[in-house]
Amino acid sequence: MSAQEILASVGSFSSHDLLLFEEKIQRKIFNKNDLLLRQGEVCQSVYFILSGSFFQFQVDDTTEIIIDLHLPKEWMYNHPSLIDQKPSDTTIKAFEDAEVVELSLSHLHELIARSQSFLHLSKIFDQTNHRTYLFDNALSPAQKYNYIKNAKPLIVQVFPVKMIASYLKIAPETLSRVRANY
């Protein structure tokens, strides 16, 4: 995937901007179950998923509580940790073998300093809107499932029911009933 394809979702960039971007990014490979960010670490980068998938979770006793599910062609990071530069309260783990493009926060700042076009990258920080919509509205389990199918249709093809249910904050049995009625 080219720099232009990666950046297309946030704005249009000149060929010079694309070259600057390519200088600052780093491609990384993750195997299934590799950790991209550990709980307690400070998130220092944003990642664009080229292939594979990731999940972000917190551990409650021995249970993983899914905070977010990440798919190809999405930007991924831990929002509170990156923005406030504080230790992450979640872990980001590869659900399957994956390849990402990493852009460190310091390189992002350098890009913005060199070209105002990179201010468009601020759009990647609006991703919390999905979670806000899901959890700040009193949605029924069917409405949550319908919303997530529309917002991220591949989720139901990639992740198991138990993980999707945890993400939607509903019981797996409830999600199974909702899916059966779909």
Side-chain angles (χ1 to χ4, degrees), residues 43 82 90 107 115 125 146 159 176:
C43 186
L82 182 76
T90 65
H107 283 146
S115 171
F125 300 112
N146 189 43
F159 295 101
S176 292

Side-chain angles (χ1 to χ4, degrees), residues 111-151:
L111 288 171
I112 292 168
R114 293 184 66 187
S115 171
Q116 296 294 301
S117 297
F118 289 105
L119 287 171
H120 291 294
L121 285 171
S122 67
K123 290 180 184 173
I124 66 176
F125 300 112
D126 293 339
Q127 290 181 349
T128 54
N129 291 341
H130 286 305
R131 290 193 51 76
T132 302
Y133 178 82
L134 274 174
F135 304 115
D136 284 358
N137 294 296
L139 302 177
S140 70
Q143 289 170 318
K144 286 181 179 182
Y145 182 68
N146 189 43
Y147 176 77
I148 205 64
K149 274 197 59 117
N150 290 328

Side-chain angles (χ1 to χ4, degrees), residues 29-97:
I29 303 288
F30 290 89
N31 295 316
K32 180 178 181 163
N33 296 323
D34 282 353
L35 299 181
L36 181 134
L37 178 70
R38 286 181 169 74
Q39 185 173 340
E41 292 178 345
V42 176
C43 186
Q44 298 290 335
S45 299
V46 294
Y47 303 87
F48 184 84
I49 304 170
L50 298 170
S51 65
S53 57
F54 292 81
F55 62 106
Q56 198 164 163
F57 65 94
Q58 293 174 324
V59 177
D60 180 25
D61 296 323
T62 58
T63 307
E64 290 180 353
I65 300 166
I66 306 297
I67 303 301
D68 214 341
L69 301 170
H70 305 284
L71 298 164
K73 299 182 182 174
E74 281 183 16
W75 288 95
M76 166 183 66
Y77 57 95
N78 177 278
H79 191 269
S81 179
L82 182 76
I83 300 302
D84 297 332
Q85 286 297 282
K86 66 178 188 176
S88 174
D89 59 356
T90 65
T91 297
I92 301 176
K93 188 178 194 177
F95 182 68
E96 58 190 338
D97 292 350

